Amino acid sequence: MTTERRLRLPGITYGGDYNPEQWPEEVWAEDMALMREAGVTMVSVGIFSWALLEPSEGVYDFSRMDKILALLHENGIAADLATPTACPPAWFFRAHPEALPVDKDGRTLWYGSRQTFCPSSPAYRTAALRIAGVLAERYADHPAVAMWHVHNEYGCHNAECFCDTSAAAFRTWLKAKYGNDLNALNHAWGTTFWSQWYYDWDEIIPPRATGADPNPTHRLDWRRFCSDELLSLFTAERDVLRRAAPDTPATTNFMVMHNFDALDYWRWAPELDIVSNDHYLLATDPESETDIALCGDLVRSLADGPWLLMEHSTGAINWQPVNRAKTPGEMRRNALAHVAHGADGIAYFQWRAAKAGAEQWHSAMLPHAGTDSQIWRDVVQLGADLQALAEVGGSTSPAKVAIVWDWNARWAMELPCQPSGELRFQDLVRDWYTPLWKAGVAVDFVRPDAPDLGRYRLVLAPSLYLVDDEGAANLAAFTESGGTLAVGFHSGAVDENCHVRLGGYPGAFRKILGVHGDEPFPLLPGQTVSLVGQVPQDATADLWTERLRLTGAEAVATYAEGPLAGVPAITRHAYGSGTAWYLATHPDPTTLATVLERVCQDAGVRPEREVPAGIEVVRRRGADADYLFLIDHAGHGAEIPAEGVELLTGKTVTGSVTVPEGGVAVVREPRADLRERATA
């Protein structure tokens, strides 16, 4: 968060999307009373209100919004006021049908839902900036407005548009990237393959549906363009708001979660005054608490500090094939886990459950059943919990381990025609993240070219298929200067243009790792291979193997059978003053946890605190105290060594704290580093 434009609300904010336009005005007074009862401090308003605010082009009706903001202010509730540009009205598309998006098969997608606009449409941009400007001028000095909420979930439904307008915008973007040098583009894209050489910029089109597999660099540059095109819409609206209200912070809700990869948030995050995120659980995920932690750590890393949870659910959501309700205590655990991983605000979609519309079966803070419901009782309890944790707001999360995360590498690896179509970037990263999380090892996420890797003892690159020279050199320098690096298979294989790095695998990392591979041997679905060496007795691996020889490294494990019997599978190499590990395969979870435990020991990294299985332990660090979060996901409860004050109950803790079954404890402890200095 910036110091110039920051959210000037104390503690941890609490609330959700408030859509009073869906209800008669007599309901609003009840909303205010119930919000006060629940401890709500901030709500997002106006997100989907464009059709009501501007009933026809250039004609505005702010009477409803005036009343809503006045009511919120009278009741001590701040407004996160949205620009309503995620949902252009029907009248806009009647006037500008050319602004409708087109899919890769050439089909026009029609209005009638949300985000059905072409991101490159000049007409859309003009209309969006106009409504944003009028809104900003009217409410810039309104005492209820604490923050601007720009748009909503950029790219959720229209990350790509393949129309002719988008094609022209893509060509403009390419000219800027390649210095208006068409030969440079041809070389970067490798267009001598399949007679794709371009002689005129106008020959270049988006990667529309074709009869065979697409050019990978064409497709990769398209993904980069689409992310940048949406980012340009955000910054344009943000700048309109800043001109009207220079000191009011602006955010937009990211979607760092399992099923969204459209935007390069490393490029987006510096443009936000406050980073916020939406996160929803996958109903089929048996360990969804891991996804909460991973995504929370990633958002905290993007924000370089505390962030806001802008949306999640009190219970079931509405867009999966089966949408399960949350189990008793799960809503509270989810929310407090987000706080543990850096959230300084907790908000839900939405305040009052809708009785009509596409999201009528999406849970809310005030459910269809009203206040005589378990969800409502949980909502009120969570409000009290967040008030008790107010002092945690603003605290940071110290970590000595970093995981490399790169959207370009993710996009590139999941293109067609890989040696294995079974590889999924997020799954591979989560496989490495999970044992660290279960062990209580704090983790940050970093770009490959992050400038400050020296503050970490250990850097992990589970899946870095694409890496440019700068990123590869950065990781090498970190290792050479004394750090410990661990690299996963199929990493370093291609450069930023998706060109294979010749000379053997793992490409950019051969020298650091002290190995040389000459051929991948991916495994078929369901196929496994046994491992022997410094690994558990029944160690296995799946997904991937490769023919590898040592060029300075030592073998930690080898394949026990098959065509690669005796070939190194896991290696360790002294490089400069540091150590580099290579996992040339995908070990089973127990084996991977064992290997990563040894890697952590190599790096001098220890768990936050020894805790029983099923207890999540996370530390946030304040100016004068540490805040130890202990979350029981197993439902067994535990006694954990601790000293201080348990904030949720206000009780003094001496020797140990009781974590209730399926519950949470948060202990304020004296800062360990300050104690060590005082006794030195």
Side-chain angles (χ1 to χ4, degrees), residues 409-469:
R410 179 176 184 172
W411 294 335
M413 191 185 72
E414 296 180 8
L415 289 169
C417 298
Q418 285 285 331
S420 172
E422 299 296 309
L423 307 183
R424 297 290 178 269
F425 176 89
Q426 178 137 343
D427 292 345
L428 295 174
V429 172
R430 175 166 160 167
D431 288 344
W432 285 42
Y433 176 89
T434 298
L436 299 176
W437 171 73
K438 288 183 175 180
V441 174
V443 169
D444 285 344
F445 286 87
V446 295
R447 305 188 320 268
D449 59 349
D452 51 354
L453 291 183
R455 61 178 168 151
Y456 301 106
R457 295 179 178 176
L458 171 62
V459 173
L460 307 174
S463 183
L464 198 57
Y465 167 69
L466 177 152
V467 65
D468 62 17
D469 291 345

Side-chain angles (χ1 to χ4, degrees), residues 391 621-627 668-675:
E391 66 183 82
R621 171 150 293 167
D624 303 309
D626 283 349
Y627 300 99
R668 181 211 300 132
E669 294 187 318
R671 272 185 57 161
D673 59 331
L674 297 180
R675 290 200 311 270

Side-chain angles (χ1 to χ4, degrees), residues 185-206:
L185 178 142
N186 278 303
H187 287 296
W189 286 16
T191 56
T192 53
F193 189 82
W194 279 359
S195 190
Q196 294 173 355
W197 192 274
Y198 296 105
Y199 291 94
D200 191 291
W201 288 102
D202 287 341
E203 295 170 357
I204 299 172
I205 60 174

Side-chain angles (χ1 to χ4, degrees), residues 169-239:
F170 183 40
R171 290 189 285 269
T172 298
W173 184 90
L174 290 170
K175 288 177 183 178
K177 178 176 181 181
Y178 293 103
N180 206 29
D181 184 345
L182 194 53
N183 284 335
L185 178 142
N186 278 303
H187 287 296
W189 286 16
T191 56
T192 53
F193 189 82
W194 279 359
S195 190
Q196 294 173 355
W197 192 274
Y198 296 105
Y199 291 94
D200 191 291
W201 288 102
D202 287 341
E203 295 170 357
I204 299 172
I205 60 174
R208 294 166 176 156
T210 61
D213 294 306
N215 179 313
T217 319
H218 182 183
R219 179 67 183 156
L220 180 60
D221 267 350
W222 171 255
R223 296 294 300 268
R224 291 164 171 159
F225 157 75
C226 291
S227 177
D228 284 355
E229 192 77 340
L230 286 165
L231 177 57
S232 75
L233 289 177
F234 166 76
T235 56
E237 285 195 37
R238 179 208 62 194
D239 290 348

